[in-house]
């Protein structure tokens, strides 16, 4: 509730997060029983909190959760410049469509969401590595914890502090 009242700062970045984006992240966090700060760290790791980011093998992955070509088609993600707030419903649709169901534990939910993003489903191995050597356990320890660089950067971008 209190995070929604904080306007994101103007930063020299490729994409400027807006209050609408903040509200969309808070809504997604609420729907999925997540700490919004952890969700922001996850989105920062995946895309730099830039919904128009391209990456992965051959630059084929796009957006806040780095949708692959099949995933973009699966959810009908438009092939155009988007805001974070516009793209979050597609991420929600993808995660639900791949079988993610929130549990009572917000930290476990963050791991399950990242597992669904990395492996395509929430039942894969938490230690399995993607083509970049990333695993869910590695991300949870080195990127999504308070005090880690990625977590702290995400909070700065959102205007939430640490």
């Amino acid at each position: 509730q209190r995070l929604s009242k904080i306007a994101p700062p103007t930063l020299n970045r490729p994409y400027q997060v807006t209050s609408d984006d903040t509200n969309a992240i808070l809504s997604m966090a609420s729907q999925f029983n997540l700490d919004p700060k952890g969700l922001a760290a996850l989105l920062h790791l995946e895309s730099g909190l830039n919904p128009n980011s391209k990456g992965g093998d051959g630059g084929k992955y796009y957006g806040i959760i780095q949708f692959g070509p099949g995933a973009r088609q699966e959810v009908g993600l438009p092939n155009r410049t988007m805001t974070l707030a516009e793209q979050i419903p597609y991420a929600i649709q993808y995660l639900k469509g791949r079988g993610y169901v929130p549990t009572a534990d917000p930290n476990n939910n963050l791991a399950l969401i990242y597992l669904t993003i990395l492996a395509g489903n929430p039942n894969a191995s938490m230690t399995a590595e993607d083509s970049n050597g990333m695993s869910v356990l590695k991300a949870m320890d080195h990127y999504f914890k308070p005090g880690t660089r990625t977590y702290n950067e995400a909070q700065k971008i959102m205007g939430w502090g640490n």
Side-chain angles (χ1 to χ4, degrees):
Q1 190 68 296
R2 145 180 93 67
L3 294 177
S4 67
K5 308 229 183 297
I6 300 172
T10 301
L11 300 171
N12 184 15
R13 325 182 45 248
Y15 179 82
Q16 179 62 48
V17 175
T18 68
S19 292
D20 287 344
D21 297 333
T22 296
N23 291 333
I25 288 172
L26 293 173
S27 175
M28 181 177 181
S30 176
Q31 286 179 56
F32 286 161
N33 188 28
L34 297 164
D35 170 13
K37 291 182 174 187
L39 177 58
L42 183 156
L43 298 176
H44 182 48
L45 180 65
E46 281 296 290
S47 66
L49 284 162
N50 179 352
N52 304 300
S53 162
K54 292 183 179 169
D57 294 333
K60 295 180 206 163
Y61 295 83
Y62 178 78
I64 57 170
I65 63 169
Q66 293 294 281
F67 293 94
R72 288 195 302 272
Q73 186 175 3
E74 183 180 319
V75 298
L77 186 70
N79 187 17
R80 63 173 174 80
T81 299
M82 299 180 80
T83 67
L84 222 157
E86 290 173 323
Q87 206 172 97
I88 281 193
Y90 294 96
I92 291 170
Q93 179 185 343
Y94 174 78
L95 293 164
K96 285 180 176 178
R98 290 301 182 105
Y100 169 75
V101 177
T103 70
D105 178 357
N107 203 46
N108 186 53
N109 291 339
L110 188 63
L112 292 173
I113 281 179
Y114 200 51
L115 189 56
T116 306
I117 291 167
L118 283 185
N121 76 79
N123 302 310
S125 168
M126 296 265 189
T127 59
E129 294 185 352
D130 70 4
S131 60
N132 296 312
M134 181 58 71
S135 73
V136 171
L137 285 182
K138 194 180 290 183
M140 294 298 289
D141 267 352
H142 301 287
Y143 301 99
F144 302 161
K145 272 187 184 170
T148 61
R149 189 177 109 205
T150 300
Y151 182 95
N152 291 347
E153 286 174 356
Q155 307 324 303
K156 180 180 177 187
I157 292 165
M158 297 302 299
W160 295 342
N162 293 337

